[in-house]
Amino acid sequence: MMIIMKKVVNKQKASNRKEITHTRIVETAARAIRRSGYDGTGVADIMKEAGLTHGGFYAHFASRDAMLAEAADRAGEETIAIAKRIFAEIPGEQALQALMQIYLSNEHIDNIESGCSLAALGSEMPRQAPEVRKASTCRIKEMIALIKSRLSGQQTNSDEKALVMMSTMVGTLLLARAVDDTELSKALLQATLKHFDAKV
């Protein structure tokens, strides 16, 4: 009986270690894809950054695309978590303004590695494997639904308004990061915030 219990405990410990290692790889990959893009993110580099050997990769993932799909999902999940936290702390339509101000901030522009994956990777998505695109699409839909939830009852066209807000936020962030002109970057952020200030 004691031997069986030890085997069960050892198996649970090994399973927990594997889960912890798996999570570390996915978190590292989620940062790496936002920093370097999908094509600039190699398995060897991710494993090294996670403090693991390249050989251990296939104990966790069937393929590079499987890892990228989980990384895309994790990166999207982080953005959704921030939005949910804002919505939990700030009442009504003020929450949408707070979300936009945080999303369209200089801090977010400067932190591509931990920021919204849609703005960092959106232009690369058409060339990705179906499972990577599917993971990102699910998170995009979730974010749109979250925005819509704060518009419901206030707007007859809440579906359209949520789509426009999401598209504008992502597009503005992408452009503000793309330009090498600080004043233009700032103007893009301010114009979008001003436009929605009167309309949310």
Side-chain angles (χ1 to χ4, degrees):
M1 182 70 162
M2 200 65 164
I3 292 169
I4 293 170
M5 286 182 67
K6 279 183 181 178
K7 284 182 180 178
V8 169
V9 168
N10 288 339
K11 196 172 185 179
Q12 287 174 339
K13 283 181 182 178
S15 176
N16 287 343
R17 275 196 304 274
K18 186 172 182 176
E19 285 176 33
I20 290 166
T21 301
H22 187 91
T23 299
R24 184 168 31 154
I25 296 167
V26 171
E27 288 172 350
T28 302
R31 287 190 309 273
I33 59 174
R34 287 176 281 188
R35 178 181 63 235
S36 306
Y38 287 110
D39 291 338
T41 303
V43 169
D45 294 330
I46 288 169
M47 295 300 282
K48 184 178 179 183
E49 189 177 331
L52 301 164
T53 62
H54 182 242
F57 176 80
Y58 290 102
H60 295 275
F61 304 97
S63 66
R64 179 177 178 271
D65 286 336
M67 178 202 58
L68 291 177
E70 283 195 49
D73 183 62
R74 176 60 57 92
E77 178 184 41
E78 290 171 8
T79 300
I80 298 289
I82 291 167
K84 284 182 176 177
R85 197 164 43 247
I86 291 166
F87 285 7
E89 294 171 4
I90 299 171
E93 61 189 45
Q94 295 171 349
L96 287 172
Q97 272 302 308
L99 174 64
M100 291 192 83
Q101 287 169 356
I102 290 168
Y103 192 94
L104 298 174
S105 66
N106 290 325
E107 182 182 358
H108 195 187
I109 287 174
D110 294 340
N111 291 299
I112 195 167
E113 188 176 291
S114 60
C116 177
S117 60
L118 305 176
L121 299 163
S123 65
E124 294 186 42
M125 290 312 301
R127 295 179 295 281
Q128 298 312 306
E131 60 262 44
V132 178
R133 293 187 74 189
K134 183 176 182 176
S136 289
T137 300
C138 288
R139 291 302 181 180
I140 290 168
K141 288 179 178 178
E142 189 177 355
M143 188 67 164
I144 292 167
L146 197 57
I147 292 170
K148 184 185 169 195
S149 72
R150 285 302 173 112
L151 293 167
S152 297
Q154 302 173 28
Q155 307 279 333
T156 54
N157 59 349
S158 59
D159 285 333
E160 185 178 308
K161 179 102 176 194
L163 292 169
V164 169
M165 285 186 76
M166 178 71 178
S167 300
T168 305
M169 286 168 46
V170 172
T172 300
L173 183 63
L174 188 150
L175 291 173
R177 282 179 174 162
V179 299
D180 67 351
D181 181 333
T182 308
E183 291 306 310
L184 177 56
S185 180
K186 202 180 297 183
L188 286 162
L189 300 179
Q190 289 171 351
T192 299
L193 290 170
K194 182 179 177 185
H195 176 78
F196 280 95
D197 188 40
K199 298 185 166 118
V200 172

